[in-house]
Amino acid sequence: MTVIIIEDEIPAGKRLERLLVEKNITVFTILQSTIEAVNWFRNNHHPDLVFMDIKLRDDLCFKIFKKVEIQSKIIFTTAFDEYALKAFEYNSIDYLLKPIAAERLDKLFLKIKNNNLLNTNQNDLKTLENALQVEFKTSFLVSTGSALKKIVMEEIVYFKSENNTTFLTTKDFKSYIISQSLELLENQLNPKIFFRISRKIIINKNFIKQISNFNLTLTTINISDDFKISRSRVKAFLEFYKQ
């Protein structure tokens, strides 16, 4: 099995290289930026796997995919987990949080072997979804004055951004401030249930009562709110709603 490592932190890259070599895996090179990576992919035979850090010295690694078509399977590595959902859009078979333990690599390669992931078609989303095992957020802890309250996803009707503050609204029409931005929430929420209909609103599909033109009505037993779907998001929304 052949590998390249794209990692801007030299000690982390060298440590991962050592762990892979100990498993008799050939590491072609370690690259530190999106520019280096694009040039390498344009001029070299693509390996079986690429271990790719998400935040590189010159940009997010997703920029690489806009410049070159990578034939390898991707394992994303990062110290943060906010990009897990976005990573799923690419030819990814796993998502590892740093520091990467040797035991975690053992599980990765066992999964590759058992599921024949090196031969998985990039468009086979069901297989990739099962392989990635993406875990979406299931609840929030919100402040209710002097106490904290747990709110599960099934209770949330929508998220709204207003005056640089993010609110979640529950089915009993109570709103709470949360620390995450809508951009971060998009990577934490199950995309089969939640959809960002505009720059300021993410809705829960299960509370949609009706859709009319570019408007939709969210409703529960106690509340009914109307929201406008951004024109640029209508096509994607209709695909989401049909699922």
Side-chain angles (χ1 to χ4, degrees), residues 159-196:
F159 298 89
K160 183 176 183 180
S161 176
E162 191 170 33
N163 298 324
N164 295 319
T165 303
T166 305
F167 300 87
L168 68 78
T169 297
T170 60
K171 60 185 180 182
D172 57 359
F173 205 40
K174 293 182 179 179
S175 293
Y176 303 91
I177 294 175
I178 57 175
S179 60
Q180 292 92 331
S181 67
L182 293 190
E183 285 72 23
L184 180 56
L185 284 172
E186 280 190 290
N187 293 313
Q188 296 179 332
L189 302 175
N190 188 334
K192 295 181 180 179
I193 299 174
F194 291 91
F195 187 87
R196 190 171 182 177

Side-chain angles (χ1 to χ4, degrees), residues 32 34 37 57 61 71 97 112 117-118 124 164 168 177 189 223 226-227:
Q32 298 178 22
T34 63
R57 62 171 53 178
C61 71
Q71 304 300 321
L97 290 177
I112 290 173
L117 294 181
L118 291 184
D124 188 353
N164 295 319
L168 68 78
I177 294 175
L189 302 175
I223 67 171
D226 293 326
F227 295 105

Side-chain angles (χ1 to χ4, degrees), residues 122-135:
Q122 181 176 359
N123 296 319
D124 188 353
L125 296 183
K126 181 174 178 57
T127 301
L128 288 177
E129 185 176 13
N130 291 336
L132 273 171
Q133 298 178 338
V134 175
E135 295 183 2

Side-chain angles (χ1 to χ4, degrees), residues 205 237-243:
K205 176 182 183 178
F237 170 78
L238 293 176
E239 289 297 320
F240 154 81
Y241 190 61
K242 288 189 297 184
Q243 293 178 0

Side-chain angles (χ1 to χ4, degrees), residues 214-227:
F214 295 112
N215 296 296
L216 60 83
T217 299
L218 300 178
T219 188
T220 70
I221 296 174
N222 300 315
I223 67 171
S224 180
D225 275 347
D226 293 326
F227 295 105

